[in-house]
Coordinates of all heavy atoms in Angstrom, one line a residue:
M1 N -8.1 16.1 -16.2 CA -6.8 15.9 -15.8 C -6.1 15.2 -16.9 O -6.5 14.1 -17.4 CB -6.8 14.9 -14.5 CG -5.4 14.5 -14.1 SD -5.4 13.7 -12.5 CE -6.0 12.1 -12.9
P2 N -5.0 15.8 -17.4 CA -4.2 15.2 -18.5 C -3.5 13.9 -18.1 O -3.1 13.8 -16.9 CB -3.2 16.3 -18.9 CG -3.2 17.3 -17.8 CD -4.5 17.1 -17.0
L3 N -3.4 13.0 -19.0 CA -2.8 11.7 -18.7 C -1.9 11.3 -19.9 O -2.3 11.5 -21.0 CB -3.9 10.7 -18.5 CG -3.5 9.2 -18.3 CD1 -2.9 9.0 -17.0 CD2 -4.8 8.3 -18.5
T4 N -0.7 10.9 -19.5 CA 0.2 10.4 -20.5 C 0.4 8.9 -20.4 O 0.8 8.5 -19.3 CB 1.6 11.1 -20.4 OG1 1.5 12.5 -20.5 CG2 2.6 10.6 -21.5
V5 N 0.1 8.2 -21.4 CA 0.3 6.7 -21.4 C 1.5 6.3 -22.3 O 1.5 6.7 -23.4 CB -1.0 6.0 -21.9 CG1 -0.8 4.5 -21.9 CG2 -2.2 6.4 -21.0
V6 N 2.4 5.5 -21.7 CA 3.5 5.0 -22.5 C 3.5 3.5 -22.3 O 3.5 3.0 -21.2 CB 4.8 5.6 -21.9 CG1 6.0 5.0 -22.6 CG2 4.8 7.1 -21.9
R7 N 3.6 2.9 -23.5 CA 3.7 1.4 -23.5 C 5.1 1.1 -23.7 O 5.7 1.4 -24.8 CB 2.8 0.8 -24.5 CG 3.0 -0.7 -24.7 CD 2.0 -1.3 -25.6 NE 1.2 -2.2 -24.9 CZ 0.0 -2.6 -25.3 NH1 -0.5 -2.2 -26.4 NH2 -0.7 -3.4 -24.5
T8 N 5.8 0.4 -22.8 CA 7.2 0.0 -22.9 C 7.3 -1.1 -23.9 O 6.4 -2.0 -24.0 CB 7.8 -0.3 -21.6 OG1 7.1 -1.4 -21.0 CG2 7.9 0.8 -20.6
T9 N 8.4 -1.2 -24.6 CA 8.6 -2.2 -25.6 C 9.8 -3.1 -25.4 O 10.0 -4.1 -26.1 CB 8.7 -1.5 -27.0 OG1 9.8 -0.6 -27.0 CG2 7.4 -0.8 -27.4
Y10 N 10.6 -2.7 -24.4 CA 11.8 -3.5 -24.1 C 12.2 -3.4 -22.7 O 11.9 -2.4 -22.0 CB 13.0 -3.2 -25.0 CG 13.4 -1.7 -24.9 CD1 14.4 -1.3 -24.0 CD2 12.9 -0.8 -25.8 CE1 14.8 0.0 -23.9 CE2 13.3 0.6 -25.7 CZ 14.3 0.9 -24.8 OH 14.7 2.2 -24.7
S11 N 12.9 -4.4 -22.1 CA 13.4 -4.3 -20.8 C 14.3 -3.2 -20.5 O 15.2 -3.0 -21.3 CB 14.0 -5.7 -20.4 OG 14.5 -5.7 -19.2
G12 N 14.1 -2.4 -19.5 CA 15.0 -1.3 -19.2 C 14.5 0.0 -19.7 O 15.0 1.1 -19.4
E13 N 13.5 0.0 -20.5 CA 13.0 1.2 -21.1 C 12.4 2.2 -20.1 O 12.6 3.4 -20.1 CB 11.9 1.0 -22.2 CG 11.4 2.2 -22.9 CD 10.4 1.9 -24.0 OE1 10.0 0.7 -24.1 OE2 10.0 2.9 -24.6
A14 N 11.8 1.7 -19.0 CA 11.2 2.5 -18.0 C 12.3 3.2 -17.2 O 12.1 4.3 -16.6 CB 10.3 1.7 -17.1
V15 N 13.5 2.6 -17.1 CA 14.7 3.3 -16.5 C 15.0 4.6 -17.2 O 15.1 5.7 -16.6 CB 15.9 2.4 -16.4 CG1 17.1 3.1 -15.9 CG2 15.7 1.1 -15.6
T16 N 15.1 4.5 -18.5 CA 15.4 5.7 -19.3 C 14.2 6.7 -19.2 O 14.5 7.9 -19.1 CB 15.6 5.3 -20.8 OG1 16.7 4.3 -20.8 CG2 16.0 6.5 -21.6
L17 N 13.0 6.2 -19.3 CA 11.9 7.2 -19.2 C 11.8 7.9 -17.9 O 11.6 9.1 -17.9 CB 10.5 6.4 -19.4 CG 10.3 5.8 -20.8 CD1 9.1 4.8 -20.7 CD2 10.0 6.9 -21.8
A18 N 12.1 7.2 -16.8 CA 12.1 7.9 -15.5 C 13.3 8.8 -15.3 O 13.2 9.9 -14.7 CB 12.1 6.8 -14.4
Q19 N 14.4 8.4 -15.9 CA 15.6 9.2 -15.8 C 15.5 10.5 -16.5 O 15.9 11.6 -16.1 CB 16.8 8.4 -16.3 CG 18.2 9.0 -16.0 CD 19.3 8.1 -16.4 OE1 19.1 7.0 -16.9 NE2 20.5 8.5 -16.1
D20 N 14.7 10.5 -17.6 CA 14.5 11.7 -18.5 C 13.2 12.4 -18.2 O 12.9 13.4 -18.8 CB 14.6 11.3 -20.0 CG 15.9 10.7 -20.4 OD1 16.9 11.0 -19.7 OD2 15.9 10.0 -21.4
L21 N 12.5 12.0 -17.2 CA 11.2 12.5 -16.9 C 11.3 14.0 -16.5 O 12.1 14.3 -15.6 CB 10.5 11.7 -15.8 CG 9.1 12.1 -15.4 CD1 8.1 11.8 -16.5 CD2 8.7 11.4 -14.1
D22 N 10.4 14.8 -17.0 CA 10.3 16.2 -16.6 C 9.5 16.3 -15.3 O 8.3 16.3 -15.3 CB 9.6 17.1 -17.6 CG 9.5 18.5 -17.2 OD1 9.9 18.9 -16.1 OD2 8.9 19.3 -18.0
I23 N 10.2 16.2 -14.1 CA 9.5 16.1 -12.9 C 8.7 17.4 -12.5 O 7.9 17.4 -11.6 CB 10.4 15.7 -11.7 CG1 11.5 16.8 -11.4 CG2 11.0 14.3 -12.0 CD1 12.3 16.5 -10.2
S24 N 8.9 18.5 -13.2 CA 8.0 19.6 -13.0 C 6.7 19.5 -13.7 O 5.7 20.2 -13.4 CB 8.7 20.9 -13.5 OG 8.9 20.9 -14.9
A25 N 6.6 18.5 -14.6 CA 5.3 18.3 -15.3 C 4.5 17.1 -14.8 O 3.4 17.0 -15.1 CB 5.6 18.1 -16.8
Y26 N 5.2 16.2 -14.1 CA 4.5 15.0 -13.6 C 4.7 14.9 -12.1 O 5.8 15.2 -11.6 CB 5.1 13.8 -14.3 CG 4.8 13.8 -15.8 CD1 5.7 14.3 -16.7 CD2 3.6 13.3 -16.3 CE1 5.5 14.3 -18.0 CE2 3.3 13.3 -17.6 CZ 4.3 13.8 -18.5 OH 4.0 13.8 -19.8
D27 N 3.7 14.4 -11.4 CA 3.9 14.1 -10.0 C 3.6 12.7 -9.6 O 3.7 12.3 -8.4 CB 3.0 15.1 -9.1 CG 1.5 15.0 -9.5 OD1 1.2 14.1 -10.3 OD2 0.7 15.7 -8.9
I28 N 3.3 11.8 -10.6 CA 3.1 10.4 -10.3 C 3.4 9.6 -11.5 O 3.3 10.0 -12.6 CB 1.6 10.2 -9.9 CG1 1.3 8.8 -9.5 CG2 0.7 10.6 -11.1 CD1 -0.1 8.6 -8.9
A29 N 3.9 8.4 -11.2 CA 4.2 7.4 -12.2 C 3.5 6.1 -11.8 O 3.6 5.7 -10.6 CB 5.7 7.1 -12.4
V30 N 2.7 5.6 -12.6 CA 1.8 4.4 -12.3 C 2.1 3.3 -13.3 O 1.4 3.1 -14.2 CB 0.3 4.7 -12.2 CG1 -0.5 3.6 -11.7 CG2 0.1 6.0 -11.4

Side-chain angles (χ1 to χ4, degrees):
M1 175 170 75
L3 176 70
T4 303
V5 177
V6 177
R7 174 176 245 161
T8 58
T9 57
Y10 59 90
S11 177
E13 184 176 4
V15 174
T16 304
L17 290 169
Q19 193 170 3
D20 297 338
L21 183 70
D22 177 3
I23 63 171
S24 66
Y26 296 93
D27 56 3
I28 187 170
V30 187

